[in-house]
Amino acid sequence: MDKPRGEGQRVEGGRGLDRILALSDGEDAIAITLLVLNIEVPEIPEDLVAQELPGELLDLLPKLLSYVFSFLVILVYWMAHHSIFGIIKEHDRGLLWVNSLFLMFVALLPFPAALHGEYGDQQLVVVLYAATMAITRLLLGSVWWYVLGKPWLVHIEMDPTTRRIFSIRGWVIPLIFLISIVISFFSVTAVVWSWILLVVADFVLLRMIRR
Amino acid sequence: MDKPRGEGQRVEGGRGLDRILALSDGEDAIAITLLVLNIEVPEIPEDLVAQELPGELLDLLPKLLSYVFSFLVILVYWMAHHSIFGIIKEHDRGLLWVNSLFLMFVALLPFPAALHGEYGDQQLVVVLYAATMAITRLLLGSVWWYVLGKPWLVHIEMDPTTRRIFSIRGWVIPLIFLISIVISFFSVTAVVWSWILLVVADFVLLRMIRR
Amino acid sequence: MDKPRGEGQRVEGGRGLDRILALSDGEDAIAITLLVLNIEVPEIPEDLVAQELPGELLDLLPKLLSYVFSFLVILVYWMAHHSIFGIIKEHDRGLLWVNSLFLMFVALLPFPAALHGEYGDQQLVVVLYAATMAITRLLLGSVWWYVLGKPWLVHIEMDPTTRRIFSIRGWVIPLIFLISIVISFFSVTAVVWSWILLVVADFVLLRMIRR
Amino acid sequence: MDKPRGEGQRVEGGRGLDRILALSDGEDAIAITLLVLNIEVPEIPEDLVAQELPGELLDLLPKLLSYVFSFLVILVYWMAHHSIFGIIKEHDRGLLWVNSLFLMFVALLPFPAALHGEYGDQQLVVVLYAATMAITRLLLGSVWWYVLGKPWLVHIEMDPTTRRIFSIRGWVIPLIFLISIVISFFSVTAVVWSWILLVVADFVLLRMIRR
């Protein structure tokens, strides 16, 4: 309340921000947990169970890997959300909308994840998956770019380094996902490797910049 | 505690209000996330996947649009809930009940949403969807009208403009949904357009009144 | 911390209690929202939709009523939970366990509810439903009886009237559910009416005692 | 902030820790509630309901027991999580990751639980179940071992006894689950009994050490 404000700016504080976080955390927790519903218990006739179960469970392995990867991506997004909102101290209507659009895509993620678990060898599916993930991250980035232009919503202590890290990170993940779409036109298998690279790159990059 | 109270009024403060909000936010988050379960991964025999998947995914488009619209409506309701409870500082048994009836309909929304995603061209379905949405918004409005008559539950600072905005908004959305029911008797396709108009109208109206 | 304590009593305060409430509210919100999954969108061949949909939706009416009733019961339980924990200020291991057993049955409720929505005319189903509901309420009552014997866990201000109301309410609902089990041996239809009576009775009783 | 810190340590406090707990509690609540979805309402042709329902419900008993056991295990884990975080006062990036890996396995638990409810007599299934449960508990233990090495993240008051209890408990449950895997090579039925022993042992051990 003690910072310069734009003309006619309506700022809302107090319990409001807590509820935005409650909705965001709730949705992340649910989206992350719904992912497991894609791994279904195989249905096998009673007299064949002992014989066929090992094979059926082995067939679930791609779905399990897909679960782990989608979980990690949503988690990385949640962590970025966590970091960004660690800087925000007040909110306005615009922030509510930007954050909500991000949440709309987070809630949607279990679908492309399920699709990828089922048809991960199809280029179309890989493109859809990468595109949804990229858009979701861009929307999260928008939360960041939104508050950057409205200094009265954030804590004064934000140092230039933090600012730079957040701005770079907002582009890195969407960019790699977009590159993976290009790769998918040559090889669908290579895409999955580019994604694993993505998580590692993000991790290393974060450590490097922090130094 | 420093305001005039009705005779025999029992007011409860403290952690109680936080829990009402926790339940409300939790339910909103879940209802919003369950919507995506309506978009199911198509089941295609293995040798036809490459051939049929694009068509099957295209067929999911109405469900996706239905998801986006239902998500936006629940979100707009959540935002209104957020605004209304931003003014409330204490609660009593009556407020608990009115809010709970609202939550009962929020938790129900995934059903008409799923129904609309599947049979969106049926007039009956459109009527059911619009009616549920209208009733849900009216119940949220009831939360507002309830506290209006009990000034000891709200913060003193509520200005007449905010009061007017909230009262008007409580009627606008139900009214448009009810009009859309009338429209549905002439054209089911027109209804969907009236709904899109609804979201835009709500957005513009809000901005206008705020000025 | 300023009250007499039993020997060797371990009391935990602070954030711990908030987390118990967070888990409880989260579970209630989810259990309540999962109820709607019992109401499934009917599957109808495309050329028969216009003709058969109205009938199919009408057939869902018992499930809808079952949803409303189960929702109301869980809600009434949540409200009682809300009231009881409004008095509790600290927790120990025992309280954690009693509350958790209550939560185990709350999380189970969507199953008897689904069963009742499907086979509500079967005496066995009615008995199972009433028994689960009664046990759940008794476990909630146990939370109350547990803290009654440990005054250092509750706020000093609890008046005798509140104490009496809570103790009576802990028995009324289980009792009516148990009576409804007896009734079910004569008429399954009568049971449903006894349940509706239950909600009304609970409501009236609460108002009377409060006076 | 008044304790010695390692060089270059980044510590984050405030709302951040609350959000980690919110995500953890949310996920636990959802994972616990999803377990019930494994108990499905049997589908019986209308004219055979009265005749076949009792038998079909009896067949669900193993699933119900599996539900109760999985619920109790997740609950015991949540309680340990609750105790561990009762000591933590600040968090850093590493803690976030260790806790998240734990959450990834918690969110996965409904799958082995469903598998066990369906094919609990298969040795492979029992091994998978025990292994997942053991790994999940080891990851929770890692949260504990992580903060042990970083005293600036915890409250100063942690006494040596508490420290010892937590360290022992981190090994007991995984160990018993691993032993049960060995047992499973001789008798699958014996495994289930070893698990029941596990819960009792954990309970008794906890009481003993506390004295």
Side-chain angles (χ1 to χ4, degrees), chain A residues 15-16 19 27 100 104 119, chain B residues 18 25 42 44 67 71 75 81:
Chain A
R15 187 136 50 191
R19 289 194 66 188
E27 255 214 48
S100 298
M104 188 165 88
Y119 306 112
Chain B
D18 286 335
D25 291 346
I44 309 169
Y67 165 81
F71 188 100
L75 197 77
H81 192 268

Side-chain angles (χ1 to χ4, degrees), chain A residues 50-118:
Chain A
Q51 199 177 322
E52 292 194 357
L53 192 63
E56 292 271 1
L57 288 179
L58 220 64
D59 287 354
L60 288 176
L61 214 64
K63 286 196 176 187
L64 191 73
L65 291 178
S66 178
Y67 165 81
V68 171
F69 182 73
S70 298
F71 189 100
L72 286 178
V73 173
I74 298 186
L75 197 76
V76 166
Y77 289 6
W78 180 81
M79 283 183 184
H81 192 268
H82 178 98
S83 299
I84 291 171
F85 274 85
I87 287 167
I88 294 172
K89 68 164 191 185
E90 283 178 272
H91 70 285
D92 60 8
R93 200 100 196 148
L95 183 60
L96 217 60
W97 271 106
V98 181
N99 188 57
S100 298
L101 285 180
F102 165 66
L103 289 183
M104 188 165 88
F105 272 82
V106 168
L108 189 60
L109 291 184
F111 174 66
L115 206 61
H116 187 260
E118 191 70 40

